[in-house]
Amino acid sequence: MEPFALRSSDGTLLLSVPTAEDVDRIAAVCAEADIQRWTTVPSPYTRADAEGFVTTVVPDGWRAGSPTWAVRTVADGVARLVGMVGLHAVAHGKGELGYWLAADARGRGIMTRAVGVVLDAAFDRLGLHTVAWRADVDNWPSWKVAWRNGVRKEGTVRALNPRRGAWTDGWIGTIQRDDPREPVDAWDGPAGERAVATAQPTPGTAGAATAQAVPAANPRDPEALVRQFHDTYHLPVVTDPPSVDRDRVHMRMALVAEELAELVEAVYGEAAGAEMSAAFTRAVAADDGTRDTVEAADALGDLTYVVYGMALECGIPLDEVLAEIQASNLSKLGADGRPIYREDGKVLKGPGFFPPDIAGVLARRGYQPGARR
């Protein structure tokens, strides 16, 4: 098989063949404690191991029909290697997922999206009918990535996976060509965990599983998602009695108006969106000091209700959209790992920010750009 590259629908992820230029990065990542813990890569992992992977394991795999791609984030025209994903043991219409993700790239949904891109290629380009997944028991981050992409956990097998001269119990799962590309069962793992890594490889490959769970919000609980954002970026979560007579309420109203204007523009066009923005500017100028907390609470509740109602009537999976937006929002931290704020307190985007792939979320539900109904 001749190597080929893949891209995410929004162009922020590039999956391409690892090269000699990637050796140092691969060696550094595969030496990380989490990857050493969960995977079958050599331990200790050396630069020579990375060279052998790039010059022998990867090309041999491609020739045998088992491709491996380096996962690269793309920003400002620069592609940076953050992980590895591949299909190994490909034969008779079936293959097995393998992947790992660097510690400095976790928590952004990168591997979930990369696996989705690979599954597209596996079924549509390689003609596979089944893709398998396996990981050590209790590797919840690995399972979360697979689960989000529609993999079905089939069960637990004793002594399934090799691990440093021993055998560990493992989970197995599969996804087939016509299966839905979304969770088919409720999350069965520990509450409040987010997947930050990968799935189990075969011995000797760099496609591996790794990572520890980190605190996260329930993706089906919108308030929990927003609370996590506030906790991450040190934004207020007040515990005193309800009141809209607060300094930050003006910034919050502006954000609501901004999103409403974007919705109006999306449905009715650019001119209509501009009219909505202008109307809010006039409303602020007409402020008479009224601060009715009861009516504000009622309006916020009704807004939430009608927004979900619109999503239901338009076939938009809002919980999946929110999860994608959450992953994007949590990528806004600065290069020093700290939040960046605008003068009015709004969180700004850091150098590692990536936009949410909303088109990709909708595509999993059959959305086609340009289609009208």
Side-chain angles (χ1 to χ4, degrees):
M1 179 192 301
E2 287 297 321
F4 56 88
L6 301 168
R7 286 185 180 272
S8 62
S9 59
D10 63 359
T12 59
L13 290 183
L14 168 66
L15 278 61
S16 61
V17 178
T19 70
E21 295 180 355
D22 299 317
V23 165
D24 288 335
R25 174 66 168 163
I26 293 170
V29 175
C30 287
E32 291 176 359
D34 288 341
I35 293 182
Q36 288 286 301
R37 174 188 176 187
W38 288 107
T39 77
T40 57
V41 299
S43 180
Y45 197 91
T46 67
R47 192 177 192 280
D49 293 317
E51 290 176 339
F53 173 70
V54 169
T55 61
T56 302
V57 175
V58 171
D60 286 353
W62 276 95
R63 281 191 290 269
S66 295
T68 296
W69 293 273
V71 179
R72 308 176 195 274
T73 55
V74 181
D76 299 325
V78 178
R80 180 172 181 265
L81 188 149
V82 295
M84 206 71 59
V85 61
L87 294 163
H88 54 80
V90 174
H92 309 296
K94 184 178 178 181
E96 184 172 317
L97 276 169
Y99 46 92
W100 56 250
L101 189 66
D104 59 11
R106 298 172 192 162
R108 309 180 194 175
I110 291 173
M111 190 51 69
T112 297
R113 292 190 293 147
V115 166
V117 171
V118 169
L119 288 175
D120 287 342
F123 296 131
D124 299 337
R125 189 159 181 171
L126 303 184
L128 303 188
H129 59 72
T130 300
V131 173
W133 161 90
R134 60 187 170 115
D136 289 354
V137 168
D138 291 335
N139 191 344
W140 295 107
S142 171
W143 168 230
K144 184 62 82 63
V145 171
W147 171 80
R148 282 175 172 162
N149 278 286
V151 172
R152 304 181 186 212
K153 191 189 290 182
E154 311 288 358
T156 301
V157 178
R158 291 182 294 176
L160 176 68
N161 299 322
R163 183 71 66 243
R164 314 299 179 206
W167 292 90
T168 64
D169 296 347
W171 289 322
I172 58 173
T174 59
I175 183 171
Q176 296 190 329
R177 180 182 299 151
D178 296 329
D179 287 344
R181 299 287 295 284
E182 59 187 18
V184 294
D185 294 303
W187 173 243
D188 62 344
E193 292 193 355
R194 178 175 70 249
V196 292
T198 60
Q200 175 70 32
T202 53
T205 71
T210 175
Q212 59 192 40
V214 295
N218 182 345
R220 295 185 181 275
D221 183 346
E223 183 184 76
L225 294 177
V226 178
R227 185 178 293 272
Q228 183 191 18
F229 182 84
H230 277 238
D231 289 344
T232 300
Y233 294 98
H234 312 299
L235 301 177
V237 178
V238 302
T239 56
D240 56 345
S243 173
V244 292
D245 190 13
R246 304 176 188 273
D247 292 340
R248 287 173 59 88
V249 75
H250 306 291
M251 182 270 290
R252 284 290 164 188
M253 287 293 292
L255 292 177
V256 171
E258 179 182 335
E259 298 306 327
L260 177 58
E262 288 187 10
L263 177 61
V264 170
E265 179 176 334
V267 176
Y268 295 132
E270 186 175 349
E275 288 289 337
M276 184 59 64
S277 296
F280 177 73
T281 299
R282 293 193 296 272
V284 172
D287 178 16
D288 64 2
T290 299
R291 303 288 184 266
D292 191 323
T293 301
V294 173
E295 288 299 320
D298 180 66
L300 288 172
D302 286 344
L303 277 171
T304 303
Y305 208 92
V306 298
V307 164
Y308 270 89
M310 181 174 178
L312 290 172
E313 292 195 17
C314 293
I316 294 173
L318 203 53
D319 57 337
E320 296 175 33
V321 170
L322 285 171
E324 181 69 18
I325 290 172
Q326 182 76 347
S328 171
N329 282 343
L330 294 179
S331 72
K332 293 181 178 181
L333 292 170
D336 59 357
R338 298 179 180 180
I340 305 172
Y341 302 105
R342 196 169 67 186
E343 289 183 359
D344 63 359
K346 185 180 187 295
V347 174
L348 298 178
K349 301 168 184 175
F353 172 76
F354 64 90
D357 182 14
I358 305 301
V361 172
L362 300 183
R364 293 198 293 270
R365 292 297 187 97
Y367 168 75
Q368 297 180 358
R372 300 193 66 177
R373 178 175 297 177

